[in-house]
Each structure stands twice: as structure tokens, then as C-alpha cells.
Amino acid sequence: MNCDDARVLMHGHLDGELDLADDLEVQRHIEECPRCASEYATLRAMRTRLKDEAFRFDAPPALKEKIRRAIPASATSRSNGYPSRRGAWVQRAVRFAVPMAIGAMLALIIAPRTMAPALNQHLANEVVASHVRSLMATHLMDVASTDQHTVKPWFNGKLDFSPPVTDFAKDGFPLVGGRLDYIEGRPVAALIYQHGKHVINVFMWPTAGETTSAERIETEHGYNVEQMTVAGMNCWVVSDLNPVELDKFAGLIRAKG
């Protein structure tokens, strides 16, 4: 199976609508092709977001009333106790118009949120790649220290911003060092934490005015990634730590922000 075939069948695979043979072929291709795996992860994230209860929207009474008032009163007149043909048509139109208006409003609300996973997936891949690279090479840390007052000053003069650095040793997530890294075409700060035998990379750089949501992005590499905005910084946390523990750690960072 090639990439074009996989993209056609990807939605059916996600919704469980394929026969067993096609389903297995698509799954095998996704596992072997990083590009299609990334697209599949984006579709899966979008599907999850669309199921969020926060996207359910009940049209306010004022909106319904506004639509009804826009229809001429004569259009809904009744004849012999029954709706006129024109009135019946208008009533049907109202029934369709209200859901369509609601749908339009939902599109304005949902579109930016459902696009976010797709836009952020590239960054997530960069972050995970940098995390994996730091573990494979001997470049996990440029400065090795559990003292935040040593790690934070080390970045002075090396970056055009000062990342917030906190040690969470008392919570079971000790700071062990920091290094310079390169994400999204710019130098960034990478803070290194540890939890048991698990290494946690925290990448930080200025937000430049934009905001990022606190949202886990699943990647094809099997790592958990958490993104948030902390003290004016884009903050990306990545580790093979289980989601519950990573959420706990991310919560500590958010609390400090």
C-alpha cells in the first residue's frame, strides 16, 4: 500500500469501517511510514477534540427569536386552522435555519481548536526528535546541576531571553541540568528533570504574543508531550513518563507560571 491509498482509507480505519484485510494494511503502512503516521495522529487528535463536551452549543433564545422575527408575519398566517402552503414552507425553513445558524457559530468556535492539533503536530515532532536525540547522544546537558540558581544564570548571554527555572525535587521531580537546543528555527532553553529513571525535557522559548493551549499531543514515537504557556514562554514537556505522572509534573510548572 502506498501513501495515496493510505490517505484515502485512513478515515475509514479511524472509524472502524474497513474490512479486516484493508484495516490491517492501513495499520501496517501507518506503522512503517512516519509521514502518514503523523497525519493519522492529527486526524485522531481532531476526532478526540470534536467529542469534547465543550463543543456542544445550545443556541441562545435571543438568536432563535431574531431568526423568527426576520420572517414576515404574513408568511406564518393560518388558513382554516391549518398552516398555509407558504406558512408550512416557512416553518420548515425555520427548522432548518436555526440549526444552520447554530452550525455556523459552531464552525467559528471549533475550527481554530480543531486546527490547533494539525498546526502543533510539526512542533510536537520537532520536540520529540530533540528529546530522543538528547538521549542517544552525549549531549543531554550543557550544565549539570540540581541548583536552579546555577542553571538559570548559565543561560545568560546564550539566549535573548531568561527562562524560568525551578527545582521540583521535593515533589519527586528534581532538576538535573540544562542545555541549549534548536526548535522552530530558533535557539531555545532545554531544562532537564528526572523522575525515577525517566528523563523529562522541558523546552522553553518566548511566545511572541501568541497563546498555546494546555493539551497533550500523542505522537507516533510513543512519547507523551504536554504544551502550555508559562510566564510568557512556550513550554513543551516531553518524556516516556506515563501520562498521569507527566500531568502531575506539568501541573507543577503551570502553578509556578
PDB file of all heavy atoms in Angstrom, residues 191-203:
ATOM      1  N   LEU A 191      15.429  22.477  29.775  1.00  0.00           N
ATOM      2  CA  LEU A 191      15.666  22.152  31.172  1.00  0.00           C
ATOM      3  C   LEU A 191      15.449  20.656  31.356  1.00  0.00           C
ATOM      4  O   LEU A 191      14.493  20.089  30.821  1.00  0.00           O
ATOM      5  CB  LEU A 191      14.708  22.927  32.082  1.00  0.00           C
ATOM      6  CG  LEU A 191      14.688  24.449  31.894  1.00  0.00           C
ATOM      7  CD1 LEU A 191      13.656  25.081  32.820  1.00  0.00           C
ATOM      8  CD2 LEU A 191      16.066  25.036  32.159  1.00  0.00           C
ATOM      9  N   ILE A 192      16.341  20.027  32.113  1.00  0.00           N
ATOM     10  CA  ILE A 192      16.291  18.581  32.265  1.00  0.00           C
ATOM     11  C   ILE A 192      15.869  18.225  33.690  1.00  0.00           C
ATOM     12  O   ILE A 192      16.481  18.684  34.668  1.00  0.00           O
ATOM     13  CB  ILE A 192      17.664  17.919  31.975  1.00  0.00           C
ATOM     14  CG1 ILE A 192      18.316  18.567  30.758  1.00  0.00           C
ATOM     15  CG2 ILE A 192      17.493  16.421  31.795  1.00  0.00           C
ATOM     16  CD1 ILE A 192      17.485  18.528  29.505  1.00  0.00           C
ATOM     17  N   TYR A 193      14.835  17.412  33.787  1.00  0.00           N
ATOM     18  CA  TYR A 193      14.354  16.910  35.076  1.00  0.00           C
ATOM     19  C   TYR A 193      14.372  15.387  35.049  1.00  0.00           C
ATOM     20  O   TYR A 193      14.472  14.763  33.982  1.00  0.00           O
ATOM     21  CB  TYR A 193      12.932  17.410  35.343  1.00  0.00           C
ATOM     22  CG  TYR A 193      12.837  18.897  35.574  1.00  0.00           C
ATOM     23  CD1 TYR A 193      12.729  19.781  34.495  1.00  0.00           C
ATOM     24  CD2 TYR A 193      12.846  19.428  36.861  1.00  0.00           C
ATOM     25  CE1 TYR A 193      12.651  21.151  34.691  1.00  0.00           C
ATOM     26  CE2 TYR A 193      12.757  20.805  37.069  1.00  0.00           C
ATOM     27  CZ  TYR A 193      12.663  21.654  35.982  1.00  0.00           C
ATOM     28  OH  TYR A 193      12.582  23.014  36.192  1.00  0.00           O
ATOM     29  N   GLN A 194      14.253  14.808  36.220  1.00  0.00           N
ATOM     30  CA  GLN A 194      14.263  13.357  36.310  1.00  0.00           C
ATOM     31  C   GLN A 194      13.164  12.900  37.270  1.00  0.00           C
ATOM     32  O   GLN A 194      12.833  13.601  38.240  1.00  0.00           O
ATOM     33  CB  GLN A 194      15.620  12.853  36.815  1.00  0.00           C
ATOM     34  CG  GLN A 194      16.018  11.542  36.190  1.00  0.00           C
ATOM     35  CD  GLN A 194      17.522  11.278  36.300  1.00  0.00           C
ATOM     36  OE1 GLN A 194      18.271  12.085  36.856  1.00  0.00           O
ATOM     37  NE2 GLN A 194      17.962  10.170  35.776  1.00  0.00           N
ATOM     38  N   HIS A 195      12.581  11.761  36.966  1.00  0.00           N
ATOM     39  CA  HIS A 195      11.611  11.134  37.872  1.00  0.00           C
ATOM     40  C   HIS A 195      11.888   9.645  37.836  1.00  0.00           C
ATOM     41  O   HIS A 195      11.581   8.966  36.864  1.00  0.00           O
ATOM     42  CB  HIS A 195      10.183  11.425  37.423  1.00  0.00           C
ATOM     43  CG  HIS A 195       9.151  10.906  38.366  1.00  0.00           C
ATOM     44  ND1 HIS A 195       8.965  11.429  39.629  1.00  0.00           N
ATOM     45  CD2 HIS A 195       8.244   9.895  38.240  1.00  0.00           C
ATOM     46  CE1 HIS A 195       7.985  10.778  40.240  1.00  0.00           C
ATOM     47  NE2 HIS A 195       7.536   9.837  39.416  1.00  0.00           N
ATOM     48  N   GLY A 196      12.508   9.142  38.892  1.00  0.00           N
ATOM     49  CA  GLY A 196      12.976   7.768  38.864  1.00  0.00           C
ATOM     50  C   GLY A 196      14.039   7.628  37.793  1.00  0.00           C
ATOM     51  O   GLY A 196      15.010   8.377  37.764  1.00  0.00           O
ATOM     52  N   LYS A 197      13.832   6.702  36.867  1.00  0.00           N
ATOM     53  CA  LYS A 197      14.783   6.515  35.765  1.00  0.00           C
ATOM     54  C   LYS A 197      14.353   7.259  34.502  1.00  0.00           C
ATOM     55  O   LYS A 197      15.000   7.148  33.462  1.00  0.00           O
ATOM     56  CB  LYS A 197      14.931   5.024  35.453  1.00  0.00           C
ATOM     57  CG  LYS A 197      15.554   4.225  36.595  1.00  0.00           C
ATOM     58  CD  LYS A 197      15.720   2.766  36.195  1.00  0.00           C
ATOM     59  CE  LYS A 197      16.355   1.961  37.320  1.00  0.00           C
ATOM     60  NZ  LYS A 197      16.523   0.536  36.952  1.00  0.00           N
ATOM     61  N   HIS A 198      13.277   8.016  34.600  1.00  0.00           N
ATOM     62  CA  HIS A 198      12.739   8.710  33.429  1.00  0.00           C
ATOM     63  C   HIS A 198      13.304  10.124  33.308  1.00  0.00           C
ATOM     64  O   HIS A 198      13.326  10.883  34.280  1.00  0.00           O
ATOM     65  CB  HIS A 198      11.208   8.783  33.510  1.00  0.00           C
ATOM     66  CG  HIS A 198      10.549   7.446  33.571  1.00  0.00           C
ATOM     67  ND1 HIS A 198      10.265   6.691  32.449  1.00  0.00           N
ATOM     68  CD2 HIS A 198      10.126   6.716  34.634  1.00  0.00           C
ATOM     69  CE1 HIS A 198       9.684   5.568  32.816  1.00  0.00           C
ATOM     70  NE2 HIS A 198       9.585   5.553  34.133  1.00  0.00           N
ATOM     71  N   VAL A 199      13.740  10.456  32.112  1.00  0.00           N
ATOM     72  CA  VAL A 199      14.244  11.808  31.824  1.00  0.00           C
ATOM     73  C   VAL A 199      13.102  12.651  31.241  1.00  0.00           C
ATOM     74  O   VAL A 199      12.335  12.174  30.394  1.00  0.00           O
ATOM     75  CB  VAL A 199      15.416  11.755  30.822  1.00  0.00           C
ATOM     76  CG1 VAL A 199      15.817  13.166  30.388  1.00  0.00           C
ATOM     77  CG2 VAL A 199      16.607  11.039  31.445  1.00  0.00           C
ATOM     78  N   ILE A 200      13.001  13.885  31.702  1.00  0.00           N
ATOM     79  CA  ILE A 200      11.990  14.811  31.199  1.00  0.00           C
ATOM     80  C   ILE A 200      12.698  16.025  30.608  1.00  0.00           C
ATOM     81  O   ILE A 200      13.487  16.677  31.285  1.00  0.00           O
ATOM     82  CB  ILE A 200      11.038  15.282  32.321  1.00  0.00           C
ATOM     83  CG1 ILE A 200      10.422  14.095  33.044  1.00  0.00           C
ATOM     84  CG2 ILE A 200       9.957  16.183  31.754  1.00  0.00           C
ATOM     85  CD1 ILE A 200       9.654  14.481  34.309  1.00  0.00           C
ATOM     86  N   ASN A 201      12.431  16.313  29.346  1.00  0.00           N
ATOM     87  CA  ASN A 201      12.945  17.518  28.697  1.00  0.00           C
ATOM     88  C   ASN A 201      11.853  18.582  28.714  1.00  0.00           C
ATOM     89  O   ASN A 201      10.705  18.314  28.337  1.00  0.00           O
ATOM     90  CB  ASN A 201      13.328  17.225  27.242  1.00  0.00           C
ATOM     91  CG  ASN A 201      14.804  16.899  27.088  1.00  0.00           C
ATOM     92  OD1 ASN A 201      15.646  17.781  27.242  1.00  0.00           O
ATOM     93  ND2 ASN A 201      15.108  15.639  26.785  1.00  0.00           N
ATOM     94  N   VAL A 202      12.206  19.794  29.152  1.00  0.00           N
ATOM     95  CA  VAL A 202      11.278  20.924  29.131  1.00  0.00           C
ATOM     96  C   VAL A 202      11.881  21.995  28.224  1.00  0.00           C
ATOM     97  O   VAL A 202      12.899  22.599  28.567  1.00  0.00           O
ATOM     98  CB  VAL A 202      11.044  21.493  30.550  1.00  0.00           C
ATOM     99  CG1 VAL A 202      10.079  22.679  30.481  1.00  0.00           C
ATOM    100  CG2 VAL A 202      10.500  20.419  31.476  1.00  0.00           C
ATOM    101  N   PHE A 203      11.255  22.206  27.064  1.00  0.00           N
ATOM    102  CA  PHE A 203      11.749  23.187  26.095  1.00  0.00           C
ATOM    103  C   PHE A 203      10.992  24.497  26.287  1.00  0.00           C
ATOM    104  O   PHE A 203       9.762  24.506  26.380  1.00  0.00           O
ATOM    105  CB  PHE A 203      11.553  22.680  24.671  1.00  0.00           C
ATOM    106  CG  PHE A 203      12.271  21.398  24.373  1.00  0.00           C
ATOM    107  CD1 PHE A 203      11.644  20.170  24.532  1.00  0.00           C
ATOM    108  CD2 PHE A 203      13.594  21.410  23.946  1.00  0.00           C
ATOM    109  CE1 PHE A 203      12.308  18.979  24.269  1.00  0.00           C
ATOM    110  CE2 PHE A 203      14.273  20.231  23.672  1.00  0.00           C
ATOM    111  CZ  PHE A 203      13.629  19.004  23.841  1.00  0.00           C
TER     112      PHE A 203
END
